[in-house]
């Protein structure tokens, strides 16, 4: 990365975060507009059974998430030898096109396909943006760079998603996707003018990026993210309907509720980025029990008009606190395949999105009520936390064996061998 002035560094970080802002809007605005989409695109089903209509509209969330799951590793491998800054622009353009296509989709099935296609560049953009942000920030600030790249995502939940939800309620859900497309149009221009061109990384290759998939630790961390964060989405996907049916909030209060969750996510992301740079494993070990307790609090408070705001704030904070440490851990576990490692976190995160939306919708449509996704969320977080403990213990054991191997090699004089460097992944 060429030397940058402080002003250009700030503008470059803003441009990277703006793309994250757009992604946060396009990913989460569907959740706030599920009732409108269900009524417009699934009229007969929604009229016969609002619960069934809402659950079916939730498939749009899973379709977008599936696009991220497929696109993150696939695109990361394909662009391994390309310039990161060039590919950032390509991903931003693809996101622009995907949202325009979503806005003009004529029927539900077509909209599902468009949401899948819109999700394809999501993970690759964040992977590229995280690495470029880390380079802009300088050595020793990887987790802070990740947090800055993710800051647009969290700010989107404070400002973008509530605003676009209100826009969709007033002018139709299609207007929200048009507004997201405008954000990406501005992002393309901002990236073009502020982020300096970066040559392809020497030695990068598709085979090198694929090597990350050989490491058991990579799969463990992906499992932690996919299961542990699934709890958040089991609730957040249906929070709009929970607020109406359980807390009896008016439609105009929904954007404020979403903004409250977004404030929690923003604070949690900042605190998590600082904590992850200092105490990466401890952040997860503390974060998951905290998140599990919050899920129980959601179950207890979601029926109260004030309590649902308190629970939403706590849920956003606790969930985002853990995210930077997970991504930093995954980048480290991937070794030299840093781009794939950075992208795989978003693939796993959107497996969580899909799992949460599906399981939350399943218990609602099965007749257990709108409070039941909170109990699903609690179970998912507990499982994710236990997997995180296993992964941390496994990594510690591998590191101990690695040190023992090196010490044995050093104490064998006359062998002519250099110390063995065994992977702790």
């Amino acid at each position: 990365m060429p030397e940058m002035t402080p002003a250009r560094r700030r503008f470059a970080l803003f441009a990277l975060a703006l793309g994250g802002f757009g992604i946060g809007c396009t990913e989460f605005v569907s959740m706030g507009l599920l009732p409108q989409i269900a009524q417009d695109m699934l009229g007969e089903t929604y009229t016969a059974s609002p619960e069934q209509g809402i659950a079916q509209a939730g498939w749009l969330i899973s379709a977008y998430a599936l696009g991220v799951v497929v696109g993150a590793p696939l695109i990361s491998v394909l662009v391994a030898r390309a310039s990161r800054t060039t590919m950032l622009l390509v991903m931003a353009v693809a996101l622009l096109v995907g949202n325009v296509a979503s806005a003009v989709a004529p029927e539900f099935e077509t909209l599902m396909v468009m949401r899948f296609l819109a999700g394809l560049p999501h993970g690759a953009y964040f992977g590229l943006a995280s690495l470029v942000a880390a380079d802009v920030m300088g050595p020793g600030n990887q987790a802070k760079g990740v947090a800055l790249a993710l800051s647009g995502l969290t700010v989107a939940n404070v400002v973008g998603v509530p605003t676009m939800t209100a826009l969709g309620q007033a002018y139709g859900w299609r207007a929200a996707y048009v507004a997201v497309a405008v954000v990406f149009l501005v992002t393309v221009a901002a990236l073009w003018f502020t982020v300096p061109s970066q040559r392809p990384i020497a030695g990068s290759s598709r085979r090198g990026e694929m090597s990350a998939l050989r490491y058991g630790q990579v799969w463990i961390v992906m499992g932690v993210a996919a299961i542990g964060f699934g709890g958040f989405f089991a609730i957040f996907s249906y929070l709009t309907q929970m607020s109406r049916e359980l807390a009896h909030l008016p439609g105009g209060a929904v954007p404020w509720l979403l903004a409250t969750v977004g404030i929690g996510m923003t604070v949690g992301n900042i605190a998590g980025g600082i904590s992850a740079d200092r105490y990466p494993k401890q952040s997860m070990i503390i974060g998951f029990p905290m998140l599990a307790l919050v899920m129980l609090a959601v179950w207890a408070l979601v029926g109260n008009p004030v309590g649902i705001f308190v629970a939403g704030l706590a849920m956003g904070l606790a969930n985002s606190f853990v995210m930077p440490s997970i991504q930093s851990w995954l980048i480290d576990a991937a070794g030299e395949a840093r781009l794939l490692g950075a992208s795989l976190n978003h693939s796993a995160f959107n497996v969580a999105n899909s799992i949460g939306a599906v399981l939350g919708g399943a218990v609602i449509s099965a007749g257990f009520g709108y409070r039941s996704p909170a109990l699903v969320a609690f179970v998912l977080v507990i499982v994710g936390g236990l997997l995180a403990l296993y992964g941390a213990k496994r990594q510690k054991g591998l590191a101990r064996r690695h040190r023992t191997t090196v010490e044995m090699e050093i104490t064998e004089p006359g062998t002519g061998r250099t110390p063995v460097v065994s992977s702790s992944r």
Side-chain angles (χ1 to χ4, degrees):
M1 179 74 66
E3 190 67 27
M4 302 174 66
T5 65
R8 186 169 184 182
R9 182 178 290 110
R10 288 192 293 270
F11 282 123
L13 291 171
F14 172 79
L16 294 168
L18 184 61
F21 176 85
I23 288 176
C25 290
T26 192
E27 180 175 18
F28 296 128
V29 74
S30 299
M31 300 174 184
L33 295 173
L34 283 185
Q36 285 76 20
I37 295 173
Q39 290 176 44
D40 184 33
M41 307 291 273
L42 301 165
E44 292 183 5
T45 302
Y46 186 84
T47 301
S49 171
E51 290 82 5
Q52 292 287 347
I54 292 293
Q56 187 173 341
W59 296 353
L60 296 173
I61 300 169
S62 297
Y64 182 91
L66 181 60
V68 182
V69 172
V70 173
L74 179 62
I75 295 174
S76 296
V77 170
L78 290 176
V79 306
R81 300 171 65 180
S83 165
R84 288 175 181 169
T85 45
T86 299
M87 295 315 302
L88 266 175
L89 283 167
V90 172
M91 295 302 105
V93 170
L95 286 157
L96 165 62
V97 173
N99 281 279
V100 171
S102 297
V104 299
E107 55 190 16
F108 184 76
E109 291 75 13
T110 306
L111 180 57
M112 281 191 65
V113 173
M114 294 303 104
R115 297 313 295 155
F116 171 80
L117 294 176
L120 289 174
H122 171 130
Y125 178 90
F126 268 127
L128 291 160
S130 296
L131 296 180
V132 172
D135 288 343
V136 170
M137 289 289 292
N141 292 295
Q142 176 175 282
K144 290 189 185 73
V146 170
L148 279 168
L150 291 172
S151 65
L153 181 67
T154 55
V155 172
N157 284 279
V158 179
V159 180
V161 174
T163 300
M164 292 181 185
T165 298
L167 182 69
Q169 289 176 340
Y171 299 103
W173 60 268
R174 296 179 190 274
Y177 289 127
V178 171
V180 174
V182 172
V183 171
F184 283 117
L185 182 62
V186 177
T187 298
V188 171
L191 290 172
W192 176 271
F193 286 110
T194 64
V195 178
S197 179
Q198 188 180 66
R199 293 181 179 180
I201 303 302
S204 295
S205 67
R206 295 186 180 96
R207 180 175 295 181
E209 290 294 329
M210 289 293 290
S211 68
L213 300 178
R214 300 201 309 263
Y215 302 138
Q217 200 72 1
V218 168
W219 291 101
I220 290 172
V221 183
M222 286 181 64
V224 171
I227 299 171
F229 293 140
F232 173 82
F233 288 108
I235 296 172
F236 194 53
S237 299
Y238 305 99
L239 190 61
T240 297
Q241 210 63 12
M242 288 180 181
S243 71
R244 291 182 172 186
E245 299 296 330
L246 300 177
H248 305 293
L249 295 179
V254 172
W256 294 104
L257 175 60
L258 297 177
T260 301
V261 177
I263 291 170
M265 292 177 71
T266 302
V267 174
N269 182 58
I270 294 170
I274 295 171
S275 179
D277 271 328
R278 297 178 181 176
Y279 315 105
K281 301 301 183 295
Q282 293 89 332
S283 297
M284 286 179 289
I285 292 171
I286 294 171
F288 276 111
M290 178 174 65
L291 184 57
L293 290 175
V294 167
M295 296 309 173
L296 291 180
V298 172
W299 179 84
L301 298 174
V302 74
N304 183 280
V306 176
I308 194 171
F309 279 87
V310 174
L313 179 70
M315 182 177 70
L317 192 156
N319 190 73
S320 290
F321 178 83
V322 188
M323 287 176 61
S325 58
I326 292 287
Q327 177 142 358
S328 185
W329 188 12
L330 189 51
I331 291 172
D332 289 339
E336 297 301 317
R338 297 179 71 223
L339 174 56
L340 185 59
S343 300
L344 283 174
N345 180 62
H346 296 282
S347 185
F349 186 72
N350 278 272
V351 170
N353 192 339
S354 184
I355 289 173
V358 169
L359 293 181
V363 292
I364 290 171
S365 62
F368 291 102
Y370 284 105
R371 197 186 295 265
S372 59
L375 297 180
V376 172
F378 174 77
V379 173
L380 289 172
V381 171
I382 290 294
V383 174
L386 291 174
L387 189 56
L389 281 174
Y390 168 74
K393 184 177 180 181
R394 179 180 183 273
Q395 184 166 341
K396 186 176 180 180
L398 289 170
R400 187 184 300 115
R401 288 198 294 272
H402 165 58
R403 287 194 298 270
T404 302
T405 302
V406 171
E407 290 170 1
M408 290 176 63
E409 289 293 328
I410 291 174
T411 56
E412 291 183 23
T415 61
R417 292 183 293 176
T418 56
V420 175
V421 181
S422 58
S423 171
S424 62
R425 304 182 186 98

